[in-house]
Structures are given as C-alpha cells and as structure tokens.
Amino acid sequence: MVEIKHRESGEVLARIDGDSLVGADLRDMRLNGADLQGVDLTDANLEFSDLVGANLQGANLTGANLLSAHLNNANLSAANLARVRAGTERPAQVTVLSGADLSEANLEGADLRKAEIRFAKLQRARLTGADMRGTDFCHSDLSQVNAIRALFIQANLREANLTLADLRDSHLNDANLVKANLEQANLSSSEAHGFTVLSLANLEGANLTGARMRNVSAQDANFRNANLSGVDLVNAVLGGAILRGAIVTDTDFSGVQLASVTMEFANFSKARNAKIPSYKKNLR
C-alpha cells in the first residue's frame, strides 16, 4: 500500500494498492498539494487529476499520461517528464501547467500540444524533440532551454523569456513571439546545411540582440520594431518579411536577398553587408 500525503499537513490524500506508483491508475484523483517529491510515476495515468500546488520535484514521470491534469503552481523542477503525454487537439483535454516550476526538468520528446504553460518557470529545461504545437507559454521563462529540433508551430510565446535558448533546427512557424526576449538565442542549425524555421512568425517588438540566425528561414515573418542589433543573419531567407522600424545596428545581412523585404524606417545605415536595392525608400 502506497500512501500519498499532503506536502504540508501530512494528511493522507490517497491510498494506492501496490508497492510503487509505477504505472499506477491515478485518474480523477484530488491530489492538490500532494508530496510526490522524487517518486517514480513512470507510465502512471494522471488523466483529469488535480495536482495543483503538488511537490513533484525530481519525480520520474517518464511516459506518464497528464491529459486534462491540472498542475498549476506545481513544483516539477528537475523532474523527468520525457515522452510525457500531455498533448491534445481537444480543448476539454488541455493539460494545465500555468505557474508551474519546470526549471531543469527533462521534457525531451514530450507531447505538450495545446498545453497551458503560462507564467511558468522552465529555465534550463530540456525540450529537445518536444511537440509544442499551439502550446501557450505566454510570459513564461524559457531562458537557457535546450530545444533543438522542437516544434513550436503556432505556439504562444508572447513576452516569453528565451534568453540564451538553444532553438537550433526548431520549427516556430506562425508562432507568436511579440515582445519576446530572444537575446543571444541560437536559431541557427546543428547541421551544415540545416536551418531553423520562423516563417509567418510574429516577432513584433521582440529583442533578438546578439542572436545567431544564420541560414534561418523567416519568410513572411514580422520583425516590425524588433531589436536585431548584432544578429548573424548570414544567408537567411527573409522573402516577404517585415523589418519596418527594426533596429539593425551591426546586423550581418551577408547573402540575404532584400528585394521583397519591407524595410521602411529601419536604421540600415549601421547594418553590415546589406545589399539594398536602389528603389528602397524611407531608410534611416
């Protein structure tokens, strides 16, 4: 028999038959504030469970089912959530992790589609190969995350902190990155001829100072009023992109075709290697 107790009061919240919680059926349980620190929950079914404010620090949730689970303000720091199942296309099954602490957590290969992860802490989390299509990370801290080959397609990263994030070879197509902080983020590639995708992404007002964006594919992306100071855009594909009012001081445009790029009121006088077509007007 395994007893699950409240992290503060010590009250027994649930008693589970068996010697461990590996593969346990914990569906629809009220486990808010539970003390599950360091517990092995591999392949456990936590669908529709209430884990608001629970302590899951260092817990092993590899392959666990978190569909429709509520983990608002839960402590999942350093937890192993590799290949966790928390993604859905159905609004009624959305996993909620808003306000949760996922710092240094392992989320490699996790399915987090449409999950609500607003105002959460994900510093130094591992997101390599994770599926985060349509996931809501609004105002979350993703600084120094390792998200190589991750899917952020149509994700909401508005005002998120992605400072020093490793986003090589990721797909951020149509993502909302309005006013996001991508200072010194790596959006290049881990392969010689690879690239990160930002096509149709909205980066209006974003801070990309010092970001590495060599070979990036950012067709029809919106960089209006974004800070691109010191960005490496060598051989980037920017067809149809909007750089109106962008700061491009010391930005390297080597190999970039600017014919179809909207450049009005951007300060290209201090950009590097920009071959500006003669018909472009209203440049600063």
Side-chain angles (χ1 to χ4, degrees):
M1 178 78 68
V2 178
E3 290 187 340
I4 301 175
K5 298 180 179 181
H6 193 275
R7 60 185 177 82
E8 293 178 351
S9 67
E11 175 191 357
V12 176
L13 301 175
R15 291 183 173 89
I16 310 300
D17 290 334
D19 298 323
S20 76
L21 294 178
V22 174
D25 187 352
L26 303 175
R27 287 175 294 175
D28 290 293
M29 287 196 170
R30 294 184 179 180
L31 301 171
N32 52 304
D35 182 6
L36 292 162
Q37 181 173 357
V39 172
D40 192 349
L41 289 154
T42 300
D43 294 325
N45 190 347
L46 292 152
E47 190 173 5
F48 286 103
S49 287
D50 178 0
L51 288 151
V52 174
N55 182 7
L56 290 143
Q57 183 178 23
N60 186 358
L61 290 133
T62 303
N65 181 1
L66 296 178
L67 281 173
S68 305
H70 281 230
L71 292 115
N72 316 55
N73 303 310
N75 183 357
L76 289 146
S77 58
N80 188 353
L81 295 114
R83 302 185 305 282
V84 74
R85 291 171 287 159
T88 183
E89 296 297 327
R90 299 176 61 187
Q93 291 185 313
V94 168
T95 300
V96 182
L97 285 150
S98 291
D101 186 350
L102 290 149
S103 54
E104 300 185 0
N106 177 12
L107 290 147
E108 294 182 358
D111 183 355
L112 296 166
R113 285 171 298 139
K114 305 286 187 180
E116 185 181 304
I117 316 179
R118 300 165 63 88
F119 296 92
K121 300 175 182 177
L122 293 105
Q123 302 99 312
R124 298 175 298 282
R126 287 177 282 166
L127 294 160
T128 298
D131 189 345
M132 295 164 285
R133 287 175 289 173
T135 302
D136 189 353
F137 288 106
C138 184
H139 289 280
S140 287
D141 188 349
L142 293 99
S143 55
Q144 300 183 61
V145 295
N146 186 331
I148 298 173
R149 295 184 301 279
L151 297 178
F152 288 98
I153 298 168
Q154 295 184 333
N156 182 14
L157 290 150
R158 186 184 180 97
E159 297 185 57
N161 182 6
L162 289 147
T163 303
L164 292 167
D166 190 346
L167 299 164
R168 287 176 293 168
D169 302 300
S170 289
H171 288 256
L172 294 108
N173 320 47
D174 205 16
N176 181 355
L177 288 148
V178 172
K179 296 183 179 178
N181 188 354
L182 290 136
E183 188 171 359
Q184 297 186 58
N186 191 347
L187 294 114
S188 58
S189 177
S190 57
E191 302 176 9
H193 300 290
F195 54 90
T196 297
V197 182
L198 277 168
S199 298
L200 297 170
N202 188 354
L203 294 110
E204 183 167 353
N207 180 11
L208 291 135
T209 304
R212 286 177 277 177
M213 299 176 68
R214 185 174 291 238
N215 296 324
V216 73
S217 178
Q219 297 182 79
D220 299 308
N222 180 13
F223 293 96
R224 184 187 176 101
N225 298 323
N227 189 345
L228 293 155
S229 299
V231 172
D232 179 358
L233 278 169
V234 174
N235 296 324
V237 179
L238 299 178
I242 298 171
L243 273 71
R244 185 183 179 92
I247 301 171
V248 290
T249 303
D250 202 34
T251 306
D252 193 346
F253 285 92
S254 298
V256 178
Q257 298 295 322
L258 296 169
S260 63
V261 175
T262 301
M263 302 161 62
E264 284 82 1
F265 306 108
N267 59 344
F268 271 81
S269 63
K270 296 183 180 179
R272 292 192 291 133
N273 304 310
K275 295 184 178 179
I276 302 170
S278 59
Y279 52 84
K280 292 289 183 179
K281 299 178 180 179
N282 299 320
L283 303 184
R284 292 174 178 165

